[in-house]
């Protein structure tokens, strides 16, 4: 089996396979607050898109709307050509196709690392326990924490917990992986071990949407940088272009603060 067989759905086509996630005129309000303003964005198969921008700009809401953790109130989101269902079995199935990794790990505290990784495949994908455990151990090995399989989340370092969260998301064989500031809560010495896992995934052709301020990762792994501010996509360009030659004052101002 090739490496990618471990992480991606067998049907996932290699990079260049056309649009996988398409947002068309997506709008979202929280009461009076207009958090997503006419977002148009296409993420192609095998593409890594880094979303960057000031706090409060709508990056997390964008991620959450892609797997329906947040309902949108205008526009459409297509996943693999299909409109996002709003409820029921279809929604569970859709969620399983979108792997999500949060800043705060969100592991189940009272389950072992192995149980954290096998739970979704057994419950949602209806895999047998043995098969799920075998696949989970392969994934834990891949993210470098197979030795921690029988431990509970609190017994792991932050970097190890985040790698467990990545393994858990991969266990569902998602079509796309969303990362919302996956390294922001980590001590500096643990950032690299998580970014290395993500870079490996990117190299194997996983489609990824990554909210991060890690410039090194963006330069190394991303095909596209999306700069978001005030609920809008302000710039969309290659990492090279964005970091050396941002077009808008807003992006330039943001970059001057973080670089
Ligand atoms: P970012 O991830 O770019 O920091 P968010 O998507 O978290 O931005 O937030 C965008 C805006 O929406 C912010 O003003 C935030 O306070 C607001 N917001 C986010 N979640 C909620 C919520 N559940 N209810 C009300 N306002 C929210
Ligand atoms: Mg956020």
């Amino acid at each position: 089996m090739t490496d990618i067989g471990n992480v991606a759905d067998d049907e996932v086509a290699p990079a260049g396979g056309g649009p996988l996630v398409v947002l068309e005129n997506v709008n979202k309000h929280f009461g009076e607050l207009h958090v997503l303003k006419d977002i148009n964005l296409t993420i192609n198969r095998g593409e890594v898109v880094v979303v960057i921008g000031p706090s409060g700009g709508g990056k997390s809401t964008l991620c959450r709307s892609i797997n329906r953790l947040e309902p949108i109130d205008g526009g459409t989101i297509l996943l693999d050509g299909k409109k996002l269902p709003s409820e029921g079995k279809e929604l569970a199935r859709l969620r399983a196709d979108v792997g999500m990794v949060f800043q705060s790990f969100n592991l189940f505290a009272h389950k072992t690392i192995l149980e954290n990784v096998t739970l979704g495949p057994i419950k949602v994908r209806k895999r047998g326990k043995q098969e799920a455990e075998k696949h989970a151990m392969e994934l834990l090995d891949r993210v470098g924490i197979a030795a921690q399989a029988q431990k509970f989340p609190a017994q792991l370092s932050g970097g190890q917990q985040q790698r467990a969260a990545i393994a858990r998301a991969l266990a569902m064989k998602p079509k796309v992986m969303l990362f919302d500031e996956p390294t922001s809560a980590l001590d500096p010495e643990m950032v690299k071990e998580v970014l290395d896992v993500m870079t490996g995934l990117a190299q194997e052709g996983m489609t990824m949407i990554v909210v991060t301020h890690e410039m090194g990762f963006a330069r190394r792994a991303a095909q596209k940088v999306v700069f978001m501010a005030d609920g809008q996509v302000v710039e969309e360009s290659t990492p090279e272009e964005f970091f050396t030659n941002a077009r808008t004052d807003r992006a330039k101002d943001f970059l001057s603060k973080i670089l």
Side-chain angles (χ1 to χ4, degrees), residues 54-61 63-64 103 180-181 211:
S55 178
K59 305 180 298 297
S60 293
T61 306
C63 287
R64 293 166 61 80
Q103 180 175 333
D180 191 1
E181 303 209 30
V211 179

Side-chain angles (χ1 to χ4, degrees), residues 30-179:
F30 284 117
E32 299 278 282
L33 189 66
H34 198 174
V35 265
L36 298 179
K37 300 172 183 164
D38 272 323
I39 304 283
N40 288 287
L41 200 59
T42 296
I43 296 102
N44 293 308
R45 274 173 221 280
E47 199 168 50
V48 177
V49 176
V50 161
V51 182
I52 189 170
S55 178
K59 305 180 298 297
S60 293
T61 306
L62 180 80
C63 287
R64 293 166 61 80
S65 68
I66 291 175
N67 72 350
R68 284 265 177 189
L69 286 170
E70 287 292 350
I72 55 172
D73 41 44
T76 10
I77 301 177
L78 300 172
L79 177 68
D80 214 359
K82 287 187 220 105
K83 212 172 152 174
L84 295 197
S86 52
E87 56 189 15
K89 273 203 184 124
E90 276 289 288
L91 178 60
R93 163 96 203 151
L94 170 269
R95 289 237 172 95
D97 284 340
V98 182
M100 183 120 187
V101 174
F102 303 89
Q103 180 175 333
S104 51
F105 324 139
N106 292 17
L107 294 167
F108 303 113
H110 301 291
K111 294 194 183 296
T112 64
I113 296 303
L114 183 65
E115 287 166 348
N116 265 276
V117 180
T118 57
L119 192 71
I122 291 170
K123 294 254 185 229
V124 180
R125 296 291 200 203
K126 308 293 177 204
R127 300 260 189 277
K129 188 167 180 242
Q130 269 193 339
E131 185 199 346
E133 286 186 351
K134 183 168 173 284
H135 186 220
M137 286 310 299
E138 284 168 14
L139 290 169
L140 290 173
D141 184 45
R142 200 201 129 91
V143 302
I145 54 166
Q148 322 298 326
Q150 300 305 333
K151 294 188 181 162
F152 289 91
Q155 296 172 286
L156 271 58
S157 72
Q160 289 173 328
Q161 288 187 57
Q162 195 57 304
R163 286 183 283 150
I166 294 172
R168 181 177 63 175
L170 292 174
M172 299 295 273
K173 301 197 175 183
K175 290 180 177 165
V176 54
M177 286 281 286
L178 303 182
F179 294 85

Side-chain angles (χ1 to χ4, degrees), residues 18 47 58 79 81 119 166 174 226 230 235 245 255:
E47 199 168 50
L79 177 68
L119 192 71
I166 294 172
V226 170
D230 285 334
E235 287 197 35
N245 202 11
L255 285 170

